[in-house]
Amino acid sequence: MKTRVFVTLKNGVLDPQGKAIHHAIESLGFSGVHDVRAGRLIEIEHEPGLSTSDLETMCSKLLANMVIENFEIEQAA
Amino acid sequence: MKTRVFVTLKNGVLDPQGKAIHHAIESLGFSGVHDVRAGRLIEIEHEPGLSTSDLETMCSKLLANMVIENFEIEQAA
């Protein structure tokens, strides 16, 4: 079983990586991009027995820094 | 309009970051995790006029290293 975890910066937290990507996109000649935010994606391959609350514990203890980041859990096939 | 880009390592490419996360999950006391792969998530806020092919060009030229990485584009609301 595969689960995807998305870790994103909370609103209001400065994102220099996203800003750099935004500038790079503009210097490639694309206009119409308002904002870019960079985050992390973690794909976890696990047994079906692993519960969502276990996954949430992993996220809040290890994968995300809850002071500045949010996480989102998506069950894949 | 918001688009999410997922950048993941291709199969067979070594992923030390994912391995480190895997070990850390096990040392937290969770068993049942077989594999962890780390990737990047880029959220792009843009005008509705920006086409999918523009987004694909951004990905292959800038956001992903096509030699070792794949990308996936997901249109959000």
Side-chain angles (χ1 to χ4, degrees):
Chain A
M1 209 180 163
K2 207 174 187 178
T3 298
R4 278 180 155 189
V5 174
F6 307 122
V7 179
T8 50
L9 285 172
K10 289 188 177 171
N11 281 338
V13 178
L14 280 181
D15 179 8
Q17 194 189 353
K19 284 265 174 300
I21 296 171
H22 191 178
H23 284 299
I25 286 174
E26 283 175 343
S27 64
L28 270 182
F30 294 106
S31 57
V33 173
H34 301 307
D35 195 26
V36 178
R37 302 281 284 173
R40 292 195 304 284
L41 161 69
I42 297 130
E43 291 180 322
I44 303 174
E45 186 88 41
H46 59 86
E47 281 172 18
L50 200 73
S51 70
T52 308
S53 76
D54 280 351
L55 285 164
E56 280 171 1
T57 312
M58 281 178 205
C59 289
S60 57
K61 280 196 176 175
L62 178 72
L63 302 177
N65 174 354
M66 296 306 295
V67 180
I68 54 166
E69 291 171 329
N70 288 323
F71 65 86
E72 214 176 291
I73 294 173
E74 185 188 273
Q75 304 279 349
Chain B
M1 207 181 164
K2 208 176 187 177
T3 298
R4 279 179 154 189
V5 174
F6 308 123
V7 179
T8 51
L9 284 172
K10 289 188 177 174
N11 281 337
V13 179
L14 281 181
D15 180 9
Q17 193 188 355
K19 284 265 173 302
I21 296 171
H22 192 179
H23 284 297
I25 285 174
E26 282 174 344
S27 65
L28 269 181
F30 295 106
S31 55
V33 173
H34 302 306
D35 194 26
V36 178
R37 303 281 282 173
R40 294 195 303 284
L41 161 69
I42 297 130
E43 292 180 323
I44 303 173
E45 186 89 39
H46 59 86
E47 282 171 18
L50 202 72
S51 70
T52 309
S53 76
D54 279 351
L55 285 164
E56 280 171 2
T57 311
M58 281 179 205
C59 289
S60 57
K61 280 197 176 174
L62 178 73
L63 302 176
N65 174 356
M66 296 306 296
V67 179
I68 55 166
E69 290 171 331
N70 288 323
F71 65 86
E72 215 175 291
I73 295 174
E74 186 189 273
Q75 303 279 350

